[in-house]
Amino acid sequence: MTIFVADPAGAAPEQQTYRVVLIEDDLADAVLVEELLLDTGLRFELTTCASLADARTEPALRTADCILLDLHLPDVSGTKAVAAVRAAAPHTAVIVLTGLSEARAGSDAMAAGAQDYLVKGKVDADLLHRAVRYAVYRSQTERANAQTQAATLRAEENSRLERGLLPQPLLSTSTVTVTTRYLPGTELALLGGDFLDVVEGDDGLLHAVVGDVSGHGPDAAALGVCLRIAWRSLILGGHRGRELLQLMERILMAERGDRPLFATCALLTLDHGAATAELHLAGHHGPLLTTAGETREVTARHGIALGIDPRVSNWPATVVPLPAAGALTLYTDGLTEGHNGSSRGRLGVDGLVGLIDRLPQPDPAAHLDFLIKETSALNAGRHSDDVAVLRLDWNKSALPATRSPSGGIPG
Protein backbone atom coordinates (compact mmCIF):
# COMPACT_ATOMS: atom_id res chain seq x y z
CA MET A 1 0.00 0.00 0.00
CA THR A 2 1.30 3.45 -0.96
CA ILE A 3 -0.16 6.90 -0.38
CA PHE A 4 0.43 9.91 -2.63
CA VAL A 5 -0.93 13.45 -2.20
CA ALA A 6 -1.02 15.94 -5.07
CA ASP A 7 -1.84 19.63 -4.73
CA PRO A 8 -1.26 21.28 -8.12
CA ALA A 9 0.17 24.80 -7.98
CA GLY A 10 -2.63 26.18 -10.13
CA ALA A 11 -5.46 24.57 -8.17
CA ALA A 12 -8.02 26.99 -6.73
CA PRO A 13 -8.31 27.00 -2.91
CA GLU A 14 -11.96 25.89 -3.11
CA GLN A 15 -11.23 23.05 -5.53
CA GLN A 16 -12.32 19.66 -4.27
CA THR A 17 -9.70 17.18 -3.14
CA TYR A 18 -10.55 13.78 -4.59
CA ARG A 19 -9.76 10.84 -2.33
CA VAL A 20 -8.84 8.07 -4.78
CA VAL A 21 -8.10 4.43 -4.02
CA LEU A 22 -6.34 2.46 -6.79
CA ILE A 23 -6.60 -1.33 -6.53
CA GLU A 24 -3.98 -2.60 -8.99
CA ASP A 25 -1.48 -5.46 -8.62
CA ASP A 26 0.68 -4.46 -11.61
CA LEU A 27 3.25 -1.95 -10.38
CA ALA A 28 3.88 -0.50 -13.86
CA ASP A 29 0.16 0.12 -14.41
CA ALA A 30 -0.11 1.67 -10.95
CA VAL A 31 2.72 4.09 -11.71
CA LEU A 32 1.10 4.99 -15.04
CA VAL A 33 -2.24 5.79 -13.35
CA GLU A 34 -0.43 7.93 -10.78
CA GLU A 35 1.31 9.90 -13.52
CA LEU A 36 -1.96 10.37 -15.42
CA LEU A 37 -3.65 11.66 -12.27
CA LEU A 38 -0.82 14.17 -11.84
CA ASP A 39 -1.38 15.38 -15.40
CA THR A 40 -5.15 15.88 -14.83
CA GLY A 41 -4.58 18.94 -12.64
CA LEU A 42 -6.93 17.53 -10.01
CA ARG A 43 -6.16 17.94 -6.33
CA PHE A 44 -6.12 14.37 -5.04
CA GLU A 45 -5.01 11.92 -2.38
CA LEU A 46 -4.09 8.54 -3.86
CA THR A 47 -3.93 5.29 -1.93
CA THR A 48 -2.69 2.22 -3.85
CA CYS A 49 -3.47 -1.37 -2.87
CA ALA A 50 -2.24 -4.52 -4.63
CA SER A 51 -5.23 -6.75 -3.85
CA LEU A 52 -8.81 -6.69 -2.68
CA ALA A 53 -7.74 -8.13 0.67
CA ASP A 54 -5.33 -5.21 1.16
CA ALA A 55 -8.03 -2.73 0.17
CA ARG A 56 -10.55 -4.13 2.63
CA THR A 57 -8.18 -3.44 5.52
CA GLU A 58 -7.38 0.06 4.27
CA PRO A 59 -9.33 2.79 6.16
CA ALA A 60 -9.13 5.06 3.08
CA LEU A 61 -11.51 2.71 1.26
CA ARG A 62 -14.41 3.74 3.51
CA THR A 63 -13.83 7.47 2.97
CA ALA A 64 -12.84 7.41 -0.71
CA ASP A 65 -14.60 9.48 -3.36
CA CYS A 66 -13.48 7.21 -6.20
CA ILE A 67 -12.07 3.69 -6.55
CA LEU A 68 -10.02 2.79 -9.63
CA LEU A 69 -10.32 -0.98 -9.91
CA ASP A 70 -8.29 -3.39 -12.01
CA LEU A 71 -10.55 -6.26 -13.06
CA HIS A 72 -7.80 -8.90 -12.67
CA LEU A 73 -6.53 -9.05 -9.12
CA PRO A 74 -4.72 -11.93 -7.39
CA ASP A 75 -7.73 -12.73 -5.18
CA VAL A 76 -10.74 -11.79 -7.34
CA SER A 77 -11.53 -10.85 -10.94
CA GLY A 78 -14.26 -9.66 -13.29
CA THR A 79 -17.69 -8.61 -12.08
CA LYS A 80 -17.03 -10.40 -8.78
CA ALA A 81 -14.36 -7.78 -8.10
CA VAL A 82 -16.87 -4.99 -8.75
CA ALA A 83 -19.47 -6.61 -6.50
CA ALA A 84 -16.91 -7.09 -3.72
CA VAL A 85 -15.75 -3.47 -3.87
CA ARG A 86 -19.35 -2.18 -3.97
CA ALA A 87 -20.12 -4.27 -0.91
CA ALA A 88 -17.10 -2.86 0.93
CA ALA A 89 -17.77 0.76 -0.15
CA PRO A 90 -21.40 0.95 -1.32
CA HIS A 91 -21.54 4.75 -1.67
CA THR A 92 -18.25 5.25 -3.51
CA ALA A 93 -17.80 5.79 -7.25
CA VAL A 94 -16.10 2.84 -8.97
CA ILE A 95 -14.21 3.10 -12.29
CA VAL A 96 -12.89 -0.20 -13.65
CA LEU A 97 -9.68 -0.59 -15.64
CA THR A 98 -9.89 -3.14 -18.47
CA GLY A 99 -7.49 -4.52 -21.08
CA LEU A 100 -7.66 -3.92 -24.82
CA SER A 101 -8.90 -7.45 -25.51
CA GLU A 102 -11.79 -7.30 -23.03
CA ALA A 103 -14.58 -6.11 -25.30
CA ARG A 104 -17.48 -6.76 -22.92
CA ALA A 105 -15.70 -6.45 -19.59
CA GLY A 106 -16.42 -2.71 -19.22
CA SER A 107 -20.15 -2.94 -19.95
CA ASP A 108 -20.48 -5.99 -17.69
CA ALA A 109 -18.71 -4.10 -14.91
CA MET A 110 -21.10 -1.17 -15.25
CA ALA A 111 -24.03 -3.56 -15.12
CA ALA A 112 -22.54 -4.88 -11.88
CA GLY A 113 -22.48 -1.39 -10.34
CA ALA A 114 -19.45 0.51 -11.66
CA GLN A 115 -19.96 4.14 -12.71
CA ASP A 116 -17.57 3.97 -15.69
CA TYR A 117 -14.75 1.97 -17.28
CA LEU A 118 -11.44 2.89 -18.91
CA VAL A 119 -9.37 0.79 -21.31
CA LYS A 120 -5.71 0.55 -20.36
CA GLY A 121 -3.49 1.98 -23.07
CA LYS A 122 -6.25 4.27 -24.36
CA VAL A 123 -6.45 6.64 -21.40
CA ASP A 124 -5.05 10.16 -21.38
CA ALA A 125 -5.11 12.81 -18.70
CA ASP A 126 -8.19 14.61 -20.06
CA LEU A 127 -10.20 11.38 -20.25
CA LEU A 128 -9.19 10.40 -16.73
CA HIS A 129 -10.00 13.89 -15.46
CA ARG A 130 -13.54 13.72 -16.87
CA ALA A 131 -14.08 10.11 -15.79
CA VAL A 132 -13.16 10.79 -12.16
CA ARG A 133 -15.18 13.98 -11.90
CA TYR A 134 -18.32 12.59 -13.57
CA ALA A 135 -18.16 9.26 -11.73
CA VAL A 136 -17.89 11.03 -8.37
CA TYR A 137 -20.71 13.40 -9.33
CA ARG A 138 -23.00 10.54 -10.40
CA SER A 139 -22.20 8.59 -7.26
CA GLN A 140 -22.94 11.58 -5.04
CA THR A 141 -26.18 12.24 -6.92
CA GLU A 142 -27.26 8.61 -6.50
CA ARG A 143 -26.45 8.79 -2.79
CA ALA A 144 -28.40 12.04 -2.37
CA ASN A 145 -31.39 10.55 -4.21
CA ALA A 146 -31.24 7.43 -2.04
CA GLN A 147 -31.09 9.55 1.11
CA THR A 148 -34.01 11.66 -0.09
CA GLN A 149 -36.04 8.55 -0.83
CA ALA A 150 -35.16 7.06 2.56
CA ALA A 151 -36.13 10.31 4.29
CA THR A 152 -39.44 10.37 2.41
CA LEU A 153 -40.21 6.77 3.37
CA ARG A 154 -39.22 7.52 6.96
CA ALA A 155 -41.47 10.58 7.02
CA GLU A 156 -44.38 8.53 5.67
CA GLU A 157 -43.75 5.86 8.30
CA ASN A 158 -43.53 8.55 10.99
CA SER A 159 -46.87 9.94 9.82
CA ARG A 160 -48.53 6.53 10.06
CA LEU A 161 -47.01 5.87 13.48
CA GLU A 162 -47.91 9.34 14.71
CA ARG A 163 -51.55 8.76 13.83
CA GLY A 164 -51.42 5.60 15.92
CA LEU A 165 -49.45 7.02 18.84
CA LEU A 166 -51.04 10.50 18.93
CA PRO A 167 -54.73 10.22 18.00
CA GLN A 168 -57.32 12.97 18.08
CA PRO A 169 -58.93 13.18 21.53
CA LEU A 170 -62.34 11.50 21.65
CA LEU A 171 -64.44 14.20 23.30
CA SER A 172 -68.08 15.24 23.16
CA THR A 173 -69.24 17.59 25.94
CA SER A 174 -66.13 18.21 28.04
CA THR A 175 -64.99 21.81 28.41
CA VAL A 176 -61.46 20.75 29.27
CA THR A 177 -58.87 22.00 26.76
CA VAL A 178 -56.62 19.20 25.49
CA THR A 179 -53.21 20.02 24.01
CA THR A 180 -50.59 17.47 22.92
CA ARG A 181 -47.08 17.59 21.53
CA TYR A 182 -44.55 15.00 20.36
CA LEU A 183 -40.83 15.41 19.63
CA PRO A 184 -38.83 12.49 18.16
CA GLY A 185 -35.55 11.68 19.88
CA THR A 186 -33.37 12.27 16.81
CA GLU A 187 -33.84 14.17 13.58
CA LEU A 188 -35.50 12.04 10.88
CA ALA A 189 -35.74 9.14 13.30
CA LEU A 190 -38.72 6.88 13.51
CA LEU A 191 -40.99 7.69 16.40
CA GLY A 192 -40.31 5.69 19.53
CA GLY A 193 -42.74 4.02 21.88
CA ASP A 194 -44.17 7.11 23.62
CA PHE A 195 -47.95 7.31 23.35
CA LEU A 196 -50.87 9.32 24.68
CA ASP A 197 -54.63 9.50 24.36
CA VAL A 198 -57.70 11.25 25.79
CA VAL A 199 -61.25 9.86 25.83
CA GLU A 200 -64.48 11.15 27.34
CA GLY A 201 -66.39 8.14 28.65
CA ASP A 202 -70.12 7.55 28.75
CA ASP A 203 -69.91 8.40 32.45
CA GLY A 204 -68.98 11.98 31.51
CA LEU A 205 -65.50 11.63 32.99
CA LEU A 206 -62.36 12.55 31.08
CA HIS A 207 -59.82 9.72 30.84
CA ALA A 208 -56.20 10.27 29.76
CA VAL A 209 -53.08 8.15 29.38
CA VAL A 210 -49.42 8.90 28.73
CA GLY A 211 -47.05 5.98 28.27
CA ASP A 212 -43.53 5.09 27.24
CA VAL A 213 -42.39 1.74 25.83
CA SER A 214 -38.74 0.96 26.53
CA GLY A 215 -36.38 1.25 23.58
CA HIS A 216 -36.64 3.08 20.26
CA GLY A 217 -37.49 2.28 16.68
CA PRO A 218 -40.27 0.36 14.95
CA ASP A 219 -40.63 -2.41 17.57
CA ALA A 220 -41.18 0.05 20.41
CA ALA A 221 -43.44 2.23 18.26
CA ALA A 222 -45.57 -0.73 17.15
CA LEU A 223 -46.03 -1.84 20.76
CA GLY A 224 -46.85 1.74 21.77
CA VAL A 225 -49.55 1.92 19.10
CA CYS A 226 -50.93 -1.42 20.28
CA LEU A 227 -51.10 -0.31 23.92
CA ARG A 228 -52.66 3.04 23.03
CA ILE A 229 -55.41 1.40 20.97
CA ALA A 230 -55.93 -1.22 23.68
CA TRP A 231 -56.28 1.51 26.32
CA ARG A 232 -58.90 3.39 24.29
CA SER A 233 -60.87 0.22 23.59
CA LEU A 234 -60.76 -0.83 27.25
CA ILE A 235 -61.85 2.63 28.45
CA LEU A 236 -64.80 2.62 26.05
CA GLY A 237 -65.59 -0.89 27.27
CA GLY A 238 -65.91 0.37 30.84
CA HIS A 239 -62.63 -0.92 32.30
CA ARG A 240 -60.89 1.27 34.86
CA GLY A 241 -57.89 1.50 37.16
CA ARG A 242 -56.12 -1.65 38.30
CA GLU A 243 -58.25 -3.96 36.14
CA LEU A 244 -57.46 -1.91 33.05
CA LEU A 245 -53.72 -2.02 33.77
CA GLN A 246 -53.85 -5.79 34.27
CA LEU A 247 -55.44 -6.17 30.83
CA MET A 248 -52.90 -3.81 29.24
CA GLU A 249 -50.08 -5.82 30.79
CA ARG A 250 -51.51 -9.06 29.38
CA ILE A 251 -51.65 -7.45 25.93
CA LEU A 252 -48.07 -6.17 26.27
CA MET A 253 -46.80 -9.62 27.26
CA ALA A 254 -48.54 -11.21 24.27
CA GLU A 255 -47.46 -8.60 21.73
CA ARG A 256 -43.81 -8.19 22.73
CA GLY A 257 -42.98 -11.86 22.08
CA ASP A 258 -39.41 -12.65 23.07
CA ARG A 259 -38.33 -9.00 23.02
CA PRO A 260 -37.43 -7.65 26.50
CA LEU A 261 -39.76 -4.65 26.25
CA PHE A 262 -41.71 -3.06 29.08
CA ALA A 263 -43.83 0.08 29.39
CA THR A 264 -44.48 2.80 31.92
CA CYS A 265 -47.72 4.73 31.91
CA ALA A 266 -49.82 7.20 33.86
CA LEU A 267 -53.61 6.88 33.86
CA LEU A 268 -55.73 9.86 34.82
CA THR A 269 -59.49 10.19 35.28
CA LEU A 270 -60.64 13.79 35.63
CA ASP A 271 -64.03 14.43 37.25
CA HIS A 272 -64.71 18.06 36.43
CA GLY A 273 -67.92 18.16 38.44
CA ALA A 274 -66.35 16.77 41.61
CA ALA A 275 -63.10 18.73 41.02
CA THR A 276 -60.93 15.64 41.46
CA ALA A 277 -58.49 13.60 39.43
CA GLU A 278 -57.74 9.91 40.07
CA LEU A 279 -54.24 8.70 39.19
CA HIS A 280 -52.75 5.26 38.61
CA LEU A 281 -48.98 5.25 37.98
CA ALA A 282 -47.31 2.16 36.49
CA GLY A 283 -43.61 2.92 36.76
CA HIS A 284 -44.31 6.47 35.55
CA HIS A 285 -43.73 9.80 37.24
CA GLY A 286 -46.65 11.89 38.45
CA PRO A 287 -48.16 14.77 36.46
CA LEU A 288 -47.57 18.45 37.12
CA LEU A 289 -50.36 20.64 38.47
CA THR A 290 -50.34 24.34 37.53
CA THR A 291 -52.63 26.77 39.34
CA ALA A 292 -52.48 30.51 40.01
CA GLY A 293 -49.18 30.77 38.13
CA GLU A 294 -47.38 28.13 40.18
CA THR A 295 -46.51 24.54 39.23
CA ARG A 296 -45.78 21.53 41.41
CA GLU A 297 -45.46 17.80 40.95
CA VAL A 298 -48.52 15.90 42.12
CA THR A 299 -47.73 13.58 45.03
CA ALA A 300 -49.08 10.15 44.12
CA ARG A 301 -48.64 6.48 44.98
CA HIS A 302 -46.61 4.43 42.51
CA GLY A 303 -46.88 0.94 41.05
CA ILE A 304 -44.59 -1.24 38.95
CA ALA A 305 -44.09 -0.76 35.18
CA LEU A 306 -46.05 -3.05 32.86
CA GLY A 307 -44.17 -6.16 31.79
CA ILE A 308 -41.57 -6.15 34.58
CA ASP A 309 -43.22 -8.72 36.87
CA PRO A 310 -46.82 -9.70 36.02
CA ARG A 311 -47.14 -11.41 39.42
CA VAL A 312 -47.09 -8.07 41.27
CA SER A 313 -50.07 -6.29 39.65
CA ASN A 314 -50.20 -3.56 42.28
CA TRP A 315 -51.19 -0.12 41.07
CA PRO A 316 -52.74 1.91 43.90
CA ALA A 317 -55.06 4.82 43.17
CA THR A 318 -54.42 8.41 44.24
CA VAL A 319 -57.26 10.96 44.32
CA VAL A 320 -56.09 14.54 43.82
CA PRO A 321 -58.33 17.56 44.63
CA LEU A 322 -58.35 20.12 41.81
CA PRO A 323 -58.67 23.91 41.93
CA ALA A 324 -61.47 25.70 40.08
CA ALA A 325 -59.01 26.63 37.33
CA GLY A 326 -55.70 25.07 36.44
CA ALA A 327 -53.79 22.63 34.26
CA LEU A 328 -52.42 19.10 34.56
CA THR A 329 -49.40 18.16 32.45
CA LEU A 330 -48.55 14.51 31.84
CA TYR A 331 -45.31 13.79 30.03
CA THR A 332 -42.69 11.16 29.24
CA ASP A 333 -39.22 11.33 30.75
CA GLY A 334 -37.58 12.61 27.56
CA LEU A 335 -38.67 16.05 28.75
CA THR A 336 -36.65 15.87 32.00
CA GLU A 337 -33.70 13.60 31.18
CA GLY A 338 -32.00 16.10 28.87
CA HIS A 339 -29.20 18.33 30.12
CA ASN A 340 -29.97 21.54 32.02
CA GLY A 341 -27.58 23.67 29.98
CA SER A 342 -24.55 22.06 31.60
CA SER A 343 -22.91 18.81 30.52
CA ARG A 344 -22.87 17.68 34.15
CA GLY A 345 -26.52 17.98 35.16
CA ARG A 346 -29.93 16.78 34.04
CA LEU A 347 -32.93 19.09 33.93
CA GLY A 348 -35.01 16.88 36.22
CA VAL A 349 -38.50 17.59 37.54
CA ASP A 350 -37.40 20.60 39.60
CA GLY A 351 -35.79 22.20 36.55
CA LEU A 352 -38.87 21.50 34.47
CA VAL A 353 -41.17 23.05 37.08
CA GLY A 354 -39.00 26.15 37.13
CA LEU A 355 -39.14 26.42 33.35
CA ILE A 356 -42.91 26.08 33.25
CA ASP A 357 -43.35 28.92 35.74
CA ARG A 358 -40.81 31.19 34.02
CA LEU A 359 -41.95 30.80 30.42
CA PRO A 360 -44.70 33.02 28.99
CA GLN A 361 -48.12 31.35 28.93
CA PRO A 362 -50.24 33.08 26.27
CA ASP A 363 -52.19 29.85 25.71
CA PRO A 364 -51.61 26.12 26.36
CA ALA A 365 -50.41 25.29 22.83
CA ALA A 366 -47.91 28.15 22.69
CA HIS A 367 -46.70 27.35 26.19
CA LEU A 368 -45.94 23.73 25.29
CA ASP A 369 -44.10 24.89 22.18
CA PHE A 370 -42.03 27.30 24.31
CA LEU A 371 -41.35 24.53 26.84
CA ILE A 372 -40.15 21.97 24.29
CA LYS A 373 -38.06 24.56 22.46
CA GLU A 374 -36.41 25.69 25.71
CA THR A 375 -35.64 22.17 26.96
CA SER A 376 -34.15 21.30 23.56
CA ALA A 377 -32.00 24.45 23.63
CA LEU A 378 -30.75 23.65 27.15
CA ASN A 379 -29.83 20.17 26.00
CA ALA A 380 -27.74 21.70 23.17
CA GLY A 381 -28.59 19.07 20.58
CA ARG A 382 -27.87 16.14 22.89
CA HIS A 383 -31.52 15.12 23.02
CA SER A 384 -31.79 11.36 22.50
CA ASP A 385 -35.19 10.33 23.87
CA ASP A 386 -38.67 10.97 22.52
CA VAL A 387 -40.90 13.50 24.26
CA ALA A 388 -44.68 13.19 24.52
CA VAL A 389 -46.64 15.82 26.44
CA LEU A 390 -50.35 15.98 27.25
CA ARG A 391 -51.80 19.08 28.91
CA LEU A 392 -55.35 19.41 30.26
CA ASP A 393 -56.67 22.91 31.09
CA TRP A 394 -59.97 23.80 32.77
CA ASN A 395 -61.75 26.78 34.27
CA LYS A 396 -65.10 26.11 35.94
CA SER A 397 -65.89 29.82 36.23
CA ALA A 398 -65.47 30.49 32.51
CA LEU A 399 -67.89 29.81 29.72
CA PRO A 400 -67.18 26.63 27.72
CA ALA A 401 -64.32 27.37 25.38
CA THR A 402 -63.50 25.83 22.04
CA ARG A 403 -60.96 23.08 22.52
CA SER A 404 -57.62 23.63 20.86
CA PRO A 405 -56.76 20.99 18.29
CA SER A 406 -54.38 18.26 19.32
CA GLY A 407 -50.86 19.24 18.26
CA GLY A 408 -48.30 17.23 16.33
CA ILE A 409 -44.56 17.71 16.13
CA PRO A 410 -43.78 21.41 16.72
CA GLY A 411 -42.03 23.24 13.98
Side-chain angles (χ1 to χ4, degrees), residues 25 115 144 192 195 204 215 270-271 292 299 329-330 337 374 379 405 409:
D25 65 321
Q115 269 70 38
F195 60 94
L270 193 153
D271 187 336
T299 301
T329 303
L330 294 87
E337 289 191 344
E374 185 66 20
N379 202 27
I409 299 173

Side-chain angles (χ1 to χ4, degrees), residues 151-161 163:
T152 300
L153 292 174
R154 190 177 294 112
E156 292 173 353
E157 182 69 7
N158 271 354
S159 179
R160 288 192 294 270
L161 288 172
R163 288 195 297 271

Side-chain angles (χ1 to χ4, degrees), residues 150-228:
T152 300
L153 292 174
R154 190 177 294 112
E156 292 173 353
E157 182 69 7
N158 271 354
S159 179
R160 288 192 294 270
L161 288 172
E162 185 181 355
R163 288 195 297 271
L165 293 167
L166 311 171
Q168 289 293 322
L170 187 58
L171 306 175
S172 55
T173 62
S174 176
T175 58
V176 175
T177 299
V178 178
T179 311
T180 63
R181 289 293 184 268
Y182 191 102
L183 180 70
T186 55
E187 187 177 0
L188 297 180
L190 283 175
L191 303 184
D194 291 10
F195 60 94
L196 55 82
D197 202 354
V198 178
V199 169
E200 184 180 357
D202 294 336
D203 51 12
L205 304 181
L206 195 70
H207 304 278
V209 63
V210 166
D212 183 0
V213 176
S214 60
H216 301 278
D219 286 344
L223 188 55
V225 171
C226 178
L227 291 176
R228 200 281 304 167

Side-chain angles (χ1 to χ4, degrees), residues 339-368:
H339 291 267
N340 61 3
S342 145
S343 61
R344 294 181 297 275
R346 300 287 179 178
L347 182 63
V349 176
D350 291 340
L352 181 63
V353 168
L355 273 180
I356 290 175
D357 289 341
R358 289 198 304 272
L359 290 173
Q361 303 187 34
D363 61 73
H367 185 256
L368 284 191

Side-chain angles (χ1 to χ4, degrees), residues 263-283:
T264 69
C265 65
L267 307 186
L268 182 146
T269 297
L270 193 153
D271 187 336
H272 204 182
T276 61
E278 182 176 273
L279 287 171
H280 289 82
L281 303 179

Side-chain angles (χ1 to χ4, degrees), residues 10 16 25 29 47 83 85 112 127 132 148 162 167 174 215 255-256 274 278 293 332 337 352 355 366-367:
Q16 177 179 351
D25 65 321
D29 285 345
T47 302
V85 168
L127 180 58
V132 170
T148 299
E162 185 181 355
S174 176
E255 293 294 329
R256 74 180 180 182
E278 182 176 273
T332 55
E337 289 191 344
L352 181 63
L355 273 180
H367 185 256

Side-chain angles (χ1 to χ4, degrees), residues 15-59:
Q15 182 177 326
Q16 177 179 351
T17 297
Y18 291 91
R19 294 164 296 186
V20 180
V21 172
L22 171 63
I23 309 177
E24 170 65 76
D25 65 321
D26 188 304
L27 181 58
D29 285 345
V31 171
L32 177 60
V33 170
E34 182 180 308
E35 291 176 350
L36 285 171
L37 280 171
L38 283 170
D39 291 340
T40 64
L42 295 173
R43 178 183 282 123
F44 67 90
E45 298 174 1
L46 177 64
T47 302
T48 303
C49 303
S51 68
L52 179 62
D54 289 344
R56 281 175 169 161
T57 62
E58 173 54 53

